[in-house]
Amino acid sequence: MSKKPTERTYRGGCHCGRIRFEVKGTLERVSECNCSICTKKGYLHWIVERAAFRLITPPDNIAAYTFNTKVAKHLFCPNCGVASFYIPRSDPDRIDVNVRCLEGVNLSRLEYDHFDGRNWEQSIAGHKGLERGRAAK
C-alpha cells in the first residue's frame, strides 16, 4: 500500500548554492512541458501559491530571461546557470518550482501530466495552467 503524501516544507536551490529557497505544500504531481525552453532545461513543473514559497537568499543572486510575451520571468543563477524556479506565463501570480531542484524528492513516485507547450495558446485554453499541486496559502 502506497503512503499518501502529506504537506511538508521542501528545500531547494541551484547547483552552486547561490540560490536557496523553501516551498511548502503537498507534492504529488508534476507537469512536463514540451515547449522549447522547458525541453532544453529539463524542467519538471510544480506551480504553487506565492505564499507557499520563501526565497532564502538575496534576490540580487538571481538573473532573469524573458522572451516572446515577456510575461514569464525565467529566473536562474548567473553563477551556475541552474533554473530552480520562475514566474510562469500560465500563472504569473504564482511560482513555478523546478522539482528537479528540490532536495529529497523521489521523482519516480510522482504522477506526471504533460502540457503541449509547443502549441501553448491552444493548450492553455483547455488547461487552467500547469499542475498547481496543493500548496499552502
Side-chain angles (χ1 to χ4, degrees), residues 9-20:
T9 299
Y10 296 88
R11 293 189 63 123
C14 66
H15 185 260
C16 72
R18 185 175 177 165
I19 296 174
R20 300 292 302 152

Side-chain angles (χ1 to χ4, degrees), residues 4 10 24 29 37 43 46 50 52 63 67-68 73 79 86 96-97 104 109 130:
K4 182 163 175 64
Y10 296 88
K24 186 175 181 180
R29 304 180 72 84
I37 197 161
Y43 220 95
W46 181 31
R50 285 195 184 222
F67 66 98
N68 196 8
K73 305 294 184 236
N79 188 54
Y86 78 105
D96 189 329
V97 175
R109 294 189 179 204
L130 299 173

Side-chain angles (χ1 to χ4, degrees), residues 6-7 15 22 33 49 57 61 63-64 68 71 76-78 82 99 106-108 111 123 130-131 135:
T6 58
E7 181 175 282
H15 185 260
E22 292 180 343
C33 175
E49 298 289 337
T57 53
N61 287 5
N68 196 8
V71 174
F76 63 95
C77 175
V82 170
V99 176
N106 183 342
L107 298 177
S108 68
E111 294 182 39
S123 297
L130 299 173
E131 178 59 40

Side-chain angles (χ1 to χ4, degrees), residues 118-129:
R118 290 182 185 153
N119 299 293
W120 199 91
E121 297 297 336
Q122 297 89 342
S123 297
I124 201 68
H127 193 287
K128 302 237 180 186

Side-chain angles (χ1 to χ4, degrees), residues 54-100:
R54 183 172 77 90
L55 184 62
I56 296 170
T57 53
D60 292 347
N61 287 5
I62 302 169
Y65 171 68
T66 61
F67 66 98
N68 196 8
T69 65
K70 309 263 190 251
V71 174
K73 305 294 184 236
H74 296 273
L75 307 171
F76 63 95
C77 175
N79 188 54
C80 68
V82 170
S84 51
F85 70 95
Y86 78 105
I87 310 303
R89 177 180 174 194
S90 61
D91 288 296
D93 295 330
R94 296 175 183 241
I95 301 291
D96 189 329
V97 175
N98 185 351
V99 176
R100 293 184 191 278

